[in-house]
Amino acid sequence: PPWSGHLFSQPIISTMETQVSNGPTSNSGLPNGPPLSANGAADDSKTNLIVNYLPQNMTQEEFKSLFGSIGEIESCKLVRDKITGQSLGYGFVNYVDPNDADKAINTLNGLKLQMKTIKVSYARPSSASIRDANLYVSGLPKSMSQKEMEQLFSQYGRIITSRILVDQVTGVSRGVGFIRFDKRIEAEEAIKGLNGQKPLGASEPITVKFANNPSQKTGQALLSHLYQTTARRYTGPLHHQTQRFRLDNLLNMAYGVKRFSPITIDSMTSLAGVNLTGASSGGWCIFVYNLSPEADESVLWQLFGPFGAVTNVKVIRDFATNKCKGFGFVTMTNYEEAAMAIASLNGYRLGDRILQVSFKTSKQHKP
DNA sequence: TCCTATT
């Protein structure tokens, strides 16, 4: 992976962005210490980290590998879009040993990966009160610095991150920015107090509102994607019934209304009879053959995600060219969903290629 | 008039 050789590159903080630690509310006695729970009971506040600004193409395995190099991991998760499976660019790592969490912050915070500079910090305790606390601010004076913007907003609560967008060519402020508060209620108060107000010395009032929620965008993108590509493509060598199922299921997933309830398929019995080693502790491994050289993980997420729980996808690439070698693997949790995906996608035409999809078979058992 | 931080 591109990041494996960069463990000790110098941290570079992106222009006009502040990365605020969890320090201000920490009561651990250290400037960057972990937040402690109110009851002082056993919790994961000293071991659980949030990692932000991860490269888009970083996988769960690479994520775990990077942070596992520090110490034993209790659990970790790369957060992905529920529908498309795309990485949302952040994740959580919970270490067994608090010392390793501290070490991970010291070692990996500010690490440059691809075009990104990752941020590693203690995760705040998960709570509904910290969600949707991101504000979009426009109409800012072009002269206002990120620090000045923070000063303006800090009277309403603890700021987690702030950013002013700049013209990519000139570097001058575009007069719009973001403020993420610790708590949603703080963000609400900032809207009440600052929306429509003129900052000191400014000639125009600023607009302060909640920032767009990224999940909506993804849902809309999926829906348009469905009409543009899926519906058209799904007229392949399949029965009406199967096509029907797939479109219904895709739409259900897109709208989040209901999940597929497994149905019995006669032809599944033959699938069950093949020499399966697709089953493992991690689920059912599926072999996908005849992918194009340009194929990436996202195509596998999009193909298999609608059929049920997908825990992992992998495109096998040539080491030198980084092009797909024509095949990949998908791991699905539930047998029925995996079988349905195979039955539906085997023989499916993807572009000008006919996919071959089956449970992964054991190489060792071949004659 | 939108950078992506809460599993």
Side-chain angles (χ1 to χ4, degrees):
Chain A
W3 35 79
S4 54
H6 297 271
L7 286 178
F8 301 105
S9 60
Q10 284 299 107
I12 298 174
I13 306 300
S14 59
T15 308
M16 298 185 84
E17 176 175 0
T18 296
Q19 303 207 354
V20 181
S21 76
N22 284 317
T25 54
S26 167
N27 54 2
S28 66
L30 299 169
N32 281 327
L36 300 185
S37 63
N39 57 19
D43 61 356
D44 58 11
S45 67
K46 296 186 187 63
T47 57
N48 195 29
L49 304 179
I50 183 165
V51 184
N52 288 293
Y53 310 109
L54 291 167
Q56 175 61 228
N57 58 12
M58 193 175 199
T59 66
Q60 163 82 30
E61 285 66 34
E62 289 160 340
F63 181 62
K64 183 173 185 179
S65 172
L66 176 61
F67 284 87
S69 69
I70 300 294
E72 187 182 352
I73 290 174
E74 192 276 326
S75 63
C76 76
K77 177 187 253 186
L78 178 67
V79 180
R80 305 193 195 96
D81 185 284
K82 285 188 174 64
I83 297 168
T84 68
Q86 299 273 14
S87 166
L88 293 181
Y90 67 94
F92 296 90
V93 180
N94 195 14
Y95 284 100
V96 174
D97 185 343
N99 292 319
D100 287 333
D102 180 71
K103 189 168 149 196
I105 292 175
N106 290 319
T107 308
L108 299 178
N109 184 42
L111 176 69
K112 276 203 70 178
L113 298 178
Q114 332 256 90
M115 302 298 286
K116 304 261 194 172
T117 302
I118 71 169
K119 180 182 179 187
V120 185
S121 55
Y122 289 106
R124 291 171 284 160
S126 183
S127 156
S129 66
I130 67 175
R131 293 181 53 180
D132 303 316
N134 196 26
L135 295 181
Y136 175 76
V137 187
S138 58
L140 292 164
K142 300 281 199 283
S143 60
M144 181 178 275
S145 70
Q146 176 261 356
K147 187 167 286 186
E148 288 167 332
M149 180 175 73
E150 278 201 3
Q151 283 168 3
L152 182 62
F153 281 83
S154 60
Q155 59 187 307
Y156 296 98
R158 175 177 163 229
I159 295 169
I160 300 300
T161 56
S162 71
R163 169 176 295 178
I164 286 180
L165 302 186
V166 300
D167 185 288
Q168 290 210 337
V169 178
T170 67
V172 71
S173 166
R174 292 168 51 195
V176 301
F178 294 88
I179 296 272
R180 181 181 299 278
F181 279 101
D182 180 36
K183 301 282 195 253
R184 179 181 174 90
I185 193 165
E186 297 169 341
E188 287 170 353
E189 290 305 312
I191 291 175
K192 286 180 195 166
L194 293 176
N195 183 40
Q197 298 293 310
K198 277 191 245 182
L200 214 56
S203 57
E204 298 299 323
I206 61 173
T207 299
V208 184
K209 58 200 286 194
F210 283 107
N212 290 344
N213 197 325
S215 59
Q216 303 164 10
K217 187 184 152 199
T218 323
Q220 284 167 7
L222 179 77
L223 278 182
S224 76
H225 187 72
L226 281 178
Y227 287 110
Q228 285 175 1
T229 64
T230 313
R232 189 156 41 80
R233 281 184 187 164
Y234 280 68
T235 53
L238 293 163
H239 281 293
H240 280 315
Q241 190 59 39
T242 311
Q243 290 181 43
R244 182 65 208 217
F245 154 75
R246 281 153 58 169
L247 280 175
D248 284 353
N249 199 35
L250 282 163
L251 289 165
N252 290 339
M253 296 294 285
Y255 285 113
V257 176
K258 58 180 176 181
R259 281 187 65 80
F260 164 61
S261 61
I263 58 173
T264 306
I265 295 185
D266 293 333
S267 61
M268 286 302 104
T269 52
S270 61
L271 278 171
V274 299
N275 198 11
L276 300 185
T277 54
S280 70
S281 59
W284 298 86
C285 189
I286 298 167
F287 175 64
V288 186
Y289 180 72
N290 212 14
L291 296 169
S292 84
E294 322 304 326
D296 62 1
E297 272 73 10
S298 74
V299 71
L300 293 179
W301 282 109
Q302 289 174 25
L303 284 170
F304 288 82
F307 292 94
V310 175
T311 56
N312 186 44
V313 302
K314 187 74 180 174
V315 167
I316 305 303
R317 293 185 171 84
D318 181 272
F319 184 79
T321 66
N322 212 33
K323 297 282 187 187
C324 174
K325 291 170 82 169
F327 64 99
F329 297 97
V330 174
T331 305
M332 297 186 70
T333 305
N334 304 307
Y335 172 78
E336 301 246 356
E337 292 173 344
M340 179 59 82
I342 290 170
S344 300
L345 294 173
N346 187 39
Y348 172 56
R349 179 170 161 177
L350 183 64
D352 57 354
R353 293 162 175 269
I354 305 296
L355 297 185
Q356 295 176 37
V357 184
S358 64
F359 283 110
K360 184 184 174 189
T361 56
S362 168
K363 285 177 186 169
Q364 285 113 346
H365 285 178
K366 280 185 180 169

